[in-house]
Amino acid sequence: MSGPEERRDRRYDVPLTVADPGAARANGHRPAPDEPDTAATDEPVLPATAATADRPGPDEPAADKSRAADADRSGRDEPAADESAGPTAGGRTGGGQGGGDGRDGGAGQGPAVPDRPGDHWDRKVAKGLAFLRRRLAGDYEVDEFGFDPELTSAVFHPLLRVLYRDWFRTEVTGIENVPTDGAGLVVGNHSGTVALDALILSAALHDQHPAHRYLRLLGADLVFRMPVVSELARKSGGTVACNPDAERLLGNGELVGVFPEGFKGIGKLYSERYKLQRFGRGGFVSAALRTGTPIVPVAIVGGEEIYPMLADIKPLARLLKLPYFPVTPTFPWLGPLGMVPLPSKWLIEFCPPIPTAHLTDSADDPLVVFNLADQVRETIQQTLHKLLERRPDPFGP
Amino acid sequence: MTPGGTPGAPGVVVVTGVGRYLGAHVAARLAADPRIERVIGVDPPEPGAEFTDLLDRVERIRVDAGSLGGLLADLEVDAVVHLALVSAPDQQHGGRSAMKEQNVIGTMQLLAACQRAPRLRKLVVRSSTAAYGASFRDPAVFTEETEPREVPRGGFARDILDIEAYVRGFRRRRPDVTATVLRFAPFIGSTADTTLTRYFSQPVVPTVFGRDPRLQFLHFDDALEVLHRSIVEDHPGTYNVAGPGVLSLSQAIRRAGRVAVPVLEPGLSGAAALARNLGFGRYGLDQVDLFVHGRVVDTSRLEREYGFTPRSTAAAFDDFIRAHHGGVVVSRDQLAAAERLVLDGIRQVRAAVRERS
């Protein structure tokens, strides 16, 4: 993991619950290079001991050392350090720092904590509380599809970030092929028994894209039939996969994500991995054609190994009205533990966009639609093979 | 053209359902318009005296819908506004069967009478966005062309589908009459008293577990404006009428300072049926379906053709909250005070820890 990546991710750590002060202190000394002023005001309370010496400065790229070890150490060092530090130590180092960056001011020198304006954790706590208050008062906006950008960026994406960055070690290439503004239709391969790849794709796209665009996913109606899941899907920007919704989103200039394989893709056996299934009627192509939206094929490698499906108990699936009932090496044998995805290595590559603006009149022409769908399918399949060659070990680093 | 009637505006207007809130207000508003010569309010024979002060300039005729036929021709009526719809069964007045009698049979008889009125030029029928039904496969936003995917299970929604079917038949038989169908979102406002306003006025509001439907409201005053324009201007066709924008149910409950109590969906349907059978509560399956699926419509056709945009759903709801602040459980000020309290507490604890160390 590189320094800049980690720095960007830190910014989204909005504390939802108020941590106890001790833990807050311990965490507060993790380097937060994206907020240099707070780091500067935090510095004074640190004594000039080993704890500061091996801690990187605000802009040093050395932030890539193990975070767990770092947090652990500061947790252990902190009480002792504070005992020796006191107001005098704070004043001494604070003065030195204040001369250095001119931003420190009196805040770090005075011992009165209640109004330290630059206090990094104080601001985080205040931000978290303000977020909670806004949520409880209903002071936020949802769009006509039920998308709640505030909730998505403050809650859903931070959770997914842990998964895609730390658990799956996802590498994204070709992000420049995703349009910076205006509509785009991102078409990917579906895999993994549970449609985790769609969520990972949307979180990775939002984080890696320079414009931090939200991917509006189109989901099967099964998703919207289930309570709770349907609302999570809507709040994170999803909607039912149907042409009116797709065209409306594209007409609004949104980035729309579809997986034309549907259940055939996620419900296939492990032996069939990375073999693209049929693309159905190509409804996504006609939606793109009608709105003149470029199609961006995306190949996702890694999703097939998270829940390798060894068998499909069809009678049970029929009984539960599900499209398939998976048997994986861990599910259902280990119960809830079987729901933990295996930590495969993920590669996501966005392919160059396929323009459709010149074909707007042929949206109803089955020949054009099927040819374009085949072209997208071939592109994804070839990119998958290429990515698989780059990743010889599915569970490698 | 009636003398005194300006081009476009009809001379004699008949309004049905003036015994109810919407009808009374529409009749009063049309009566106040100098371009309209006569406003006649038609009412079923039962007494409904609550709006008499509003209706002093409206001629009222108490008559059965069945005997309207000769009346419309005799009165030389130019326009008919049909608002006599019941959205929820009322146990005191005959329950669901009386509701269906009034909604469906009443509309049939009115349309039959209209068909025989030679001077009739305009027909405005109140409909509802319930016409789109409720299904999991529905698109997120309904345009006027969206067909319902399955027959809704709520009584009012089924009535609405029947009524619209009758209006389509009427259009075929009387192509010379400008027929306007207005699909209204649920009304809300500072004074309106509807099933939904009563629902949001409770301190504790039942919701469906795991569902947070997207809702749209229409401010009552905007509904009056659209109905008025439909009469004095020519707008043939079907229009969605709703406040632009969306509130989710949980958001609306929070904004109103109420507390949501999630109930499992089968339980809620059962409770609604039970409440209906026992004769209290006016929540039907229509409401349950609305609270599972939500309903959002596209209003661009209305904005284009009428040149009028209703105030947004959020603004309409704010107006309702201001008028109903009595039952607030959690107010905005309390939340802000709690936020300050917690923040100050944390700061003090941190200061204490810092000083002790």
Side-chain angles (χ1 to χ4, degrees):
Chain A
M1 175 129 339
S2 68
E5 237 181 292
E6 188 152 50
R7 188 180 313 158
R8 183 175 49 242
D9 295 331
R10 239 350 113 49
R11 196 179 309 145
Y12 296 93
D13 286 349
V14 179
L16 288 177
T17 47
V18 177
D20 66 292
R25 295 289 304 277
N27 288 335
H29 288 285
R30 280 159 49 182
D34 59 303
E35 295 180 3
D37 53 338
T38 60
T41 43
D42 260 3
E43 283 298 290
V45 267
L46 282 175
T49 55
T52 11
D54 67 350
R55 184 156 291 119
D59 293 309
E60 272 176 69
D64 58 342
K65 70 177 150 186
S66 157
R67 198 155 26 107
D70 192 17
D72 197 19
R73 180 172 355 125
S74 54
R76 265 185 285 108
D77 284 0
E78 212 38 61
D82 261 7
E83 251 161 33
S84 71
T88 42
R92 176 168 44 81
T93 35
Q97 288 267 332
D101 56 21
R103 225 183 282 117
D104 195 11
Q109 307 196 3
V113 187
D115 11 40
R116 295 194 332 148
D119 187 334
H120 170 73
W121 267 93
D122 187 69
R123 266 210 274 144
K124 284 208 158 185
V125 170
K127 226 170 92 186
L129 283 172
F131 172 76
L132 266 184
R133 194 235 320 131
R134 277 200 309 279
R135 299 306 299 185
L136 288 176
D139 282 342
Y140 49 91
E141 302 292 328
V142 294
D143 79 353
E144 54 191 8
F145 295 90
F147 175 45
D148 188 337
E150 193 188 49
L151 191 67
T152 302
S153 59
V155 180
F156 298 151
H157 278 170
L159 292 175
L160 284 172
R161 197 165 290 128
V162 175
L163 208 57
Y164 97 80
R165 198 189 55 196
D166 301 336
W167 190 255
F168 294 133
R169 312 169 307 280
T170 310
E171 282 173 32
V172 179
T173 45
I175 193 78
E176 67 281 355
N177 290 326
V178 180
T180 319
D181 50 7
L185 186 66
V186 179
V187 182
N189 59 306
H190 222 4
S191 56
T193 310
V194 175
L196 212 55
D197 50 356
L199 305 179
I200 299 292
L201 178 69
S202 71
L205 176 67
H206 179 260
D207 276 9
Q208 308 273 326
H209 197 272
H212 295 297
R213 298 198 68 180
Y214 290 106
L215 186 65
R216 310 296 299 267
L217 294 167
L218 302 186
D221 52 337
L222 181 74
V223 171
F224 294 90
R225 214 174 278 276
M226 289 188 277
V228 183
V229 178
S230 62
E231 290 320 314
L232 293 179
R234 282 225 175 269
K235 285 191 189 320
S236 61
T239 191
V240 188
C242 61
N243 272 34
D245 276 8
E247 284 161 32
R248 199 174 177 84
L249 279 168
L250 292 173
N252 293 349
E254 300 279 358
L255 208 53
V256 176
V258 291
F259 296 88
E261 293 171 90
F263 286 117
K264 298 189 295 292
I266 51 174
K268 62 183 183 288
L269 298 177
Y270 188 61
S271 55
E272 299 275 293
R273 61 191 181 277
Y274 301 118
K275 281 188 194 137
L276 273 185
Q277 304 296 302
R278 220 161 44 79
F279 263 18
R281 281 170 293 178
F284 72 97
V285 174
S286 42
L289 289 182
R290 254 182 228 122
T291 48
T293 308
I295 298 175
V296 183
V298 58
I300 305 167
V301 161
E304 300 278 17
E305 290 88 6
I306 58 171
Y307 300 109
M309 188 158 130
L310 305 176
D312 171 12
I313 308 178
K314 286 206 165 70
L316 203 53
R318 262 199 296 278
L319 197 70
L320 297 170
K321 289 183 180 158
L322 294 172
Y324 51 87
F325 188 90
V327 176
T328 75
T330 53
F331 184 86
W333 324 116
L334 297 181
L337 210 62
M339 314 269 257
V340 176
L342 301 181
S344 57
K345 167 77 180 175
W346 284 49
L347 303 172
I348 297 178
E349 178 156 334
F350 294 95
C351 306
I354 302 168
T356 63
H358 56 290
L359 293 169
T360 313
D361 297 331
S362 341
D364 297 324
D365 185 344
L367 192 67
V368 175
V369 170
F370 279 123
N371 279 344
L372 208 52
D374 274 348
Q375 187 189 344
V376 173
R377 201 169 170 278
E378 276 308 301
T379 312
I380 298 175
Q381 186 68 70
Q382 277 164 19
T383 317
L384 279 177
H385 289 319
K386 199 180 79 188
L387 289 178
L388 281 169
E389 272 169 31
R390 254 180 56 199
R391 192 203 66 161
D393 176 12
F395 297 97
Chain B
M1 178 76 42
T2 323
T6 49
V12 181
V13 181
V14 161
V15 182
T16 67
V18 291
R20 300 175 66 86
Y21 189 86
L22 179 67
H25 280 83
V26 169
R29 187 169 170 142
L30 292 176
D33 189 330
R35 289 172 289 182
I36 296 169
E37 202 175 84
R38 273 177 88 185
V39 179
I40 301 164
V42 177
D43 232 357
E46 294 101 69
E50 55 237 274
F51 300 110
T52 35
D53 48 337
L54 263 176
L55 297 172
D56 52 352
R57 295 174 61 185
V58 178
E59 299 166 43
R60 294 184 79 177
I61 302 177
R62 295 199 176 280
V63 67
D64 230 357
S67 45
L68 267 174
L71 195 77
L72 291 189
D74 293 345
L75 288 169
E76 304 201 320
V77 171
D78 299 296
V80 170
V81 188
H82 182 41
L83 303 173
L85 297 189
V86 187
S87 59
D90 183 355
Q91 297 305 326
Q92 271 101 54
H93 298 102
R96 169 74 186 127
S97 58
M99 171 181 165
K100 185 164 185 178
E101 178 81 17
Q102 169 150 24
N103 286 349
V104 180
I105 312 295
T107 304
M108 269 180 90
Q109 284 166 333
L110 179 80
L111 290 178
C114 288
Q115 209 178 309
R116 280 179 283 135
R119 285 179 56 100
L120 188 74
R121 292 190 286 125
K122 207 168 281 180
L123 173 71
V124 179
V125 178
R126 171 191 168 186
S127 179
S128 157
T129 50
Y132 296 113
S135 150
F136 293 106
R137 290 174 301 150
D138 280 332
V141 183
F142 298 108
T143 61
E144 283 84 350
E145 282 74 33
T146 315
E147 296 283 330
R149 287 193 184 249
E150 45 201 73
V151 177
R153 53 185 189 146
F156 181 61
R158 282 208 300 265
D159 290 355
I160 286 293
L161 287 182
D162 287 346
I163 290 167
E164 291 212 357
Y166 293 133
V167 176
R168 276 197 296 277
F170 176 81
R171 278 189 180 131
R172 268 200 310 277
R173 286 187 288 275
R174 283 292 299 268
D176 56 314
V177 176
T178 305
T180 307
V181 174
L182 298 171
R183 289 181 181 155
F184 289 112
F187 299 126
I188 208 156
S190 46
T191 55
D193 178 34
T194 66
T195 316
L196 216 59
T197 58
R198 277 193 297 276
Y199 171 80
F200 281 112
S201 308
Q202 309 170 100
V204 174
V205 182
T207 60
V208 182
F209 172 76
R211 304 282 181 189
D212 193 11
R214 296 156 298 130
L215 302 176
Q216 271 184 326
F217 304 114
L218 175 65
H219 196 280
F220 187 75
D221 297 345
D222 295 328
L224 288 186
E225 176 70 29
V226 169
L227 279 164
H228 190 180
R229 287 181 187 226
S230 307
I231 282 295
V232 297
E233 300 165 7
D234 267 344
H235 298 293
T238 303
Y239 298 91
N240 289 329
V241 191
V246 167
L247 280 179
S248 71
L249 178 61
S250 63
Q251 194 183 9
I253 292 172
R254 287 169 188 176
R255 286 194 181 190
R258 265 61 175 180
V259 177
V261 184
V263 181
L264 285 176
E265 201 272 325
L268 198 63
S269 294
L274 190 70
R276 211 172 45 247
N277 291 337
L278 293 178
F280 66 86
R282 313 221 309 173
Y283 311 118
L285 292 172
D286 292 300
Q287 266 71 36
V288 176
D289 273 346
L290 178 66
F291 290 154
V292 170
H293 300 272
R295 200 169 287 139
V296 176
V297 296
D298 180 296
T299 55
S300 48
R301 184 187 283 179
L302 175 88
E303 285 162 30
R304 207 170 49 241
E305 300 284 326
Y306 280 67
F308 172 73
T309 306
R311 73 199 75 179
S312 73
T313 288
F317 196 72
D318 278 348
D319 196 43
F320 162 76
I321 296 168
R322 272 196 297 279
H324 291 80
H325 54 75
V328 170
V329 180
V330 190
S331 75
R332 233 153 245 259
D333 298 340
Q334 282 168 336
L335 280 175
E339 183 194 358
R340 271 196 302 279
L341 209 69
V342 172
L343 192 57
D344 286 348
I346 290 169
R347 281 175 176 163
Q348 269 163 17
V349 169
R350 290 187 66 197
V353 168
R354 207 176 286 258
E355 260 163 36
R356 193 151 14 97
S357 55

